[in-house]
Amino acid sequence: MSWCSRARSIGWLAAVAGIVGLGVSTTPAAAQNYPTRSITMIVPFAAGGPTDVIARIVTAHMAQTLGQSIIIENVVGAGGTTATARAARAANDGYTLITGHMGTHAAAVPLYPKLAYHPERDFEPVALLAGTPILILARKDFAPKDTKEFVDYIKANSEKVNAAHAGVGSVSHVSCELLNSILDVKPVGVPFNGTGPAMNALVAGQVDYMCDQIVNAVPQINAGTIKAYAIATPERNPALPNVPTTTEAGLPKFQAQAWNAIFAPKGTPAPILAKLNAAAAKALDDEGVRKRLLELGSVIPAPADRTPEALAALVKGEVAKWSAVLKPAS
Ligand code: MLT
């Protein structure tokens, strides 16, 4: 081997070593050819919940665009922060992603003083997937017939009623914390590994009420297996035209809409992020994907809101918003 080709090979090896040494585990060539194998999408809550359902609907289409399977891995615990911390430590090669949301990538920051990640420092924003209005839901045989009766009942029986949620910092936890602070009540919180299992408990009448994302509630409301008092958005949702807004129901202060989005570990190469963002945008333009998301009451982001920059701005604003209103979990 001539000195020139040896120098070239050493130079190449040094370059790769340098890249790896910088914590970037992907060479430019690998980034350009991405993906060459299946991708893991971590969902920080139990299967069947809103984040899982949104992730599965969108990634099924993304997999077709990318030409590789996207395998959903449900990792539960601590309001979604266990999974999110794990995703933050994953290789930044584009093969481990997470579908996070307003809880894992915003509200968790003020609630967990020793949080093992920061949404802005440890993640690359990939794409916003769906806005998810919050509803006040109750078990079918709960006595209050409407929101006004619900408010009166909860205030009169604060110590006796219980509210299901998906762990401290989850959307269902934070949304009902907001509601409970408006009503000045302190119900017993009943945690689950996601609002999929929590919804099963609500349908079974094992818990009294819950604040949950619309995509988890529409099937049960339409089946008549739970009560929906109101939706916490200024307008009614086309998927639930008969459910009044909290304003119509006399609770205008309770406004809450969550969101779900894809994130990659910090340092994931830009060409990979661009491919993922384009595949997500294409999925959100697909008629079949849109139909399924809209049937479940999702708010599909406009193209301008689908860019990584728009998601970065959303996360920044949401972290600031929730840090101003939430205190560390006791
Ligand atoms: C879920 O998918 O179970 C929910 O996103 C949990 C939550 O944040 O309430």
Side-chain angles (χ1 to χ4, degrees):
M1 178 189 288
S2 72
W3 70 269
C4 177
S5 52
R6 191 182 302 121
R8 243 200 320 272
S9 61
I10 291 170
W12 183 80
L13 284 173
V16 170
I19 286 170
V20 172
L22 288 174
V24 175
S25 53
T26 308
T27 62
Q32 288 307 335
N33 299 330
Y34 172 88
T36 56
R37 56 186 167 85
S38 62
I39 297 162
T40 296
M41 175 63 78
I42 295 174
V43 168
F45 298 99
T51 300
D52 184 70
V53 165
I54 289 169
R56 289 176 192 273
I57 290 172
V58 178
T59 58
H61 190 278
M62 288 176 69
Q64 294 169 24
T65 302
L66 295 166
Q68 292 290 343
S69 58
I70 299 180
I71 298 160
I72 300 285
E73 187 176 348
N74 300 89
V75 178
V76 300
T81 58
T82 301
T84 309
R86 177 173 142 187
R89 295 191 300 271
N92 51 15
D93 58 5
Y95 291 102
T96 303
L97 307 171
I98 185 166
T99 300
H101 66 15
M102 174 268 265
T104 60
H105 282 73
V109 172
L111 287 171
Y112 291 89
K114 293 189 172 54
L115 195 60
Y117 65 89
H118 190 282
E120 297 169 86
R121 181 193 65 218
D122 298 316
F123 288 94
E124 302 290 357
V126 173
L128 178 65
L129 300 183
T132 48
I134 301 297
L135 288 102
I136 306 173
L137 308 169
R139 58 185 165 84
K140 189 178 173 183
D141 57 356
F142 202 43
K145 287 192 299 296
D146 57 27
T147 302
K148 184 182 177 325
E149 288 190 14
F150 169 80
V151 169
D152 294 342
Y153 186 90
I154 297 295
K155 285 185 172 178
N157 300 279
S158 177
E159 312 302 320
K160 284 185 277 183
V161 296
N162 60 55
H165 59 75
V168 172
S170 63
V171 164
S172 46
H173 171 254
V174 167
S175 305
C176 253
E177 283 296 289
L178 190 58
L179 174 65
N180 296 337
S181 69
I182 293 168
L183 302 182
D184 191 21
V185 295
K186 287 195 181 315
V188 174
V190 183
F192 292 81
N193 279 332
T195 50
M199 182 58 78
N200 294 339
L202 195 69
V203 169
Q206 293 160 351
V207 288
D208 292 325
Y209 72 102
M210 175 161 74
C211 301
D212 197 9
Q213 299 169 75
I214 192 168
V215 297
N216 199 34
V218 167
Q220 300 302 342
I221 294 166
N222 290 339
T225 55
I226 60 171
K227 269 181 184 162
Y229 289 121
I231 186 166
T233 45
E235 306 295 330
R236 293 194 180 200
N237 189 284
L240 293 170
N242 301 323
V243 176
T245 66
T246 45
T247 301
E248 290 174 292
L251 205 53
K253 282 186 182 175
F254 186 46
Q255 298 295 325
Q257 172 163 314
W259 44 269
N260 287 261
I262 297 177
F263 296 90
K266 196 70 168 178
T268 302
I272 291 178
L273 297 173
K275 278 186 185 174
L276 289 167
N277 178 270
K282 193 172 179 184
L284 294 178
D285 282 336
D286 175 75
E287 278 317 303
V289 169
R290 294 178 67 87
K291 181 171 181 293
R292 290 188 66 196
L293 289 175
L294 291 172
E295 278 170 353
L296 293 173
S298 304
V299 177
I300 297 176
D305 296 329
R306 298 177 194 172
T307 64
E309 296 74 20
L311 179 54
L314 175 66
V315 169
K316 191 175 188 66
E318 290 276 280
V319 168
K321 178 178 102 175
W322 291 107
S323 297
V325 299
L326 294 174
K327 297 177 186 53
S330 46

